[in-house]
Structure formats: C-alpha cells, structure tokens
Amino acid sequence: MIRFTLACASGHTFESWFPSGSAYDEQAARGLVTCPICNSPEVAKAPMAPAVARTDRGKQDRLPAPQAPAETAGPAQAALPLTMIAEPERQLRALLRAVREHVVATAEHVGDRFADEARAIHYGEAEGRPIYGEASPQEARDLVEEGIEVMPLPPAPDDRH
C-alpha cells in the first residue's frame, strides 16, 4: 500500500491510500479519484516527502513528531463525511434511492408475509396490488419457480458508504 498526498484544481489537499502507484494512475484515468471536499475530478499528486524508517530509536536527539496541520474547515464543512465516490456511482445510488422511495410510497408493506401475499395475488385469492416485504432466499426461489414475478428491492444506499 502507498499513501499519496493529493491536491485538486481548487487547492484542497488530502491523502489517500492505493495498492500501488499504477493503481492510482489507473483510478485517476477512469475518473474514480475525486476531491472529497469539492468532488472535483481534477486531482493530481502533490509534492510529498517520503516516509523513511529511522534507525536511531535509542538516541536522545530524536526529531519531534510532525504536527497535524491546523483545521481550516468551518464547522459545517468539518461535519461532512469525506467519501470518495465517483459520479457514476453517485448517480447509481441516487437511482436506487429513487426506486426504493417510489416502491415504499406506492406499494403496501406486507412484512414477512410477502411470499404468502404474492402467491395469493398471483392465484387470484387476494386483491391485485403492489406489495413489498421480506422473503427468505428459498421463498424467493420458490416464487420464481412457480412463475410469480418478484424482484428484490435493494436496501437504500447509505450516503456514507
């Protein structure tokens, strides 16, 4: 693993870990490396000093530990999570969130009775209506084998992951 200090076109600096230098180059070329502060994809490696292992651990004249840079972000900016999500993934998460919100707003939640309710609707034993709920993997397979159209509803994407 290698840690790079990176800087965006707006002057924000941040650090990120990569498996190798070539992994950074590949991710940057694909637009996957973005500034966690302004989301700019215009990111480049910033000059940095290499970390060198010291051999003088027993000496009294050790150099002081480097101090962390002073926090310059305001309170609102400091509270933001520093995620590095590329725009295509951000769009996919928004789409998944919209699909889930639509289903929740327009369908009836039947909980763990989903498989039974889906069968009853399919065979005309219950009123046809959109439903959602929970089913075990085996229950879902059984429904599909019976020709009952079901689809998993992905969990709402967590903005911090």
Side-chain angles (χ1 to χ4, degrees):
M1 294 294 284
I2 185 168
R3 179 181 66 195
F4 287 121
T5 300
L6 306 173
C8 75
S10 298
H12 303 120
T13 59
F14 57 98
E15 293 181 344
S16 191
W17 288 90
F18 296 90
S20 64
S22 62
Y24 163 79
D25 295 335
E26 291 170 15
Q27 290 181 29
R30 292 174 48 204
L32 300 176
V33 181
T34 58
C35 175
I37 299 167
C38 67
N39 294 319
S40 170
E42 296 178 42
V43 174
K45 294 177 192 173
M48 56 187 246
V52 179
R54 295 185 51 186
T55 59
D56 63 347
R57 290 288 179 208
K59 294 183 179 179
Q60 295 294 351
D61 58 343
R62 293 183 189 174
L63 296 174
Q67 299 296 314
E71 186 65 43
T72 58
Q77 194 174 22
L80 294 174
L82 295 179
T83 57
M84 294 183 59
I85 300 173
E87 187 58 29
E89 183 178 349
R90 193 171 284 116
Q91 291 173 355
L92 177 61
R93 287 176 182 229
L95 180 61
L96 289 172
R97 190 175 297 106
V99 166
R100 183 168 185 79
E101 288 172 359
H102 175 76
V103 169
V104 169
T106 60
E108 177 185 344
H109 184 258
V110 295
D112 60 2
R113 298 179 295 113
F114 178 80
D116 295 333
E117 286 292 321
R119 275 192 190 87
I121 292 169
H122 180 76
Y123 293 115
E125 299 165 359
E127 172 191 350
R129 66 201 188 279
I131 61 170
Y132 74 102
E134 294 81 35
S136 71
Q138 185 59 51
E139 288 173 322
R141 279 191 290 273
D142 292 345
L143 290 170
V144 170
E145 287 174 7
E146 290 179 48
I148 301 171
E149 292 185 28
V150 295
M151 180 180 293
L153 181 61
D158 183 357
D159 289 336
R160 300 178 70 178
H161 298 285

